[in-house]
Amino acid sequence: MAYDSNNIFAKILRGEIPCKKVYEDDFALAFHDIQPQAPVHVLVIPKGPYVSLDDFSLEAQPAEIGGFFAAVGETARVLGVVEGGYRILANVGRDANQEVAHFHVHIFAGRPLGPMIKKS
């Protein structure tokens, strides 16, 4: 899948759509989700044009990959959720219900989160 430079996260990165920023550095931008699924629900996106974690892991430079994941950790520290615990989640593709085709990691925290997925 080709990267769409008009996706909502690309527009946020360009400042065309506002966000409630938590953290930003050279590699990533972290901001509150507009439809939170937990008391703390923050998205962390890389500044490069990557569709998914698969695309990011194949195409990004090692410094981008390291910088992005360092930003995820720093965002959790800024949010104050490390001691109580948090979950990170990255959906990749249709079956995982990836809604925006710009790689992003969700940080969930603020309450017990339960099991990862429901048992069928």
Side-chain angles (χ1 to χ4, degrees):
M1 171 188 293
Y3 183 79
D4 175 8
S5 63
N6 285 314
N7 74 68
I8 191 167
F9 294 164
K11 290 178 179 181
I12 289 171
L13 283 171
R14 291 192 300 265
E16 296 170 9
I17 297 175
C19 69
K20 187 176 173 190
K21 182 170 44 171
V22 174
Y23 177 80
E24 183 174 17
D25 65 16
D26 292 341
F27 300 101
L29 172 64
F31 54 92
H32 290 275
D33 193 294
I34 61 170
Q35 295 180 318
Q37 303 297 307
V40 175
H41 184 175
V42 169
L43 303 173
V44 186
I45 62 174
K47 291 196 170 174
Y50 303 104
V51 173
S52 66
L53 176 59
D54 183 64
D55 182 32
F56 184 66
S57 67
L58 282 171
E59 301 296 333
Q61 296 299 308
E64 289 177 282
I65 295 169
F68 176 78
F69 283 102
V72 171
E74 184 60 24
T75 300
R77 288 185 288 280
V78 167
L79 290 166
V81 299
V82 174
E83 185 176 329
Y86 62 98
R87 177 176 295 157
I88 62 172
L89 172 75
N91 296 315
V92 179
R94 180 189 68 246
D95 286 351
N97 200 37
Q98 182 178 355
E99 294 179 5
V100 178
H102 182 111
F103 171 49
H104 56 287
V105 169
H106 299 257
I107 297 176
F108 300 105
R111 65 170 169 78
L113 298 170
M116 287 293 296
I117 57 175
K118 292 180 181 179
K119 295 179 182 179
S120 48

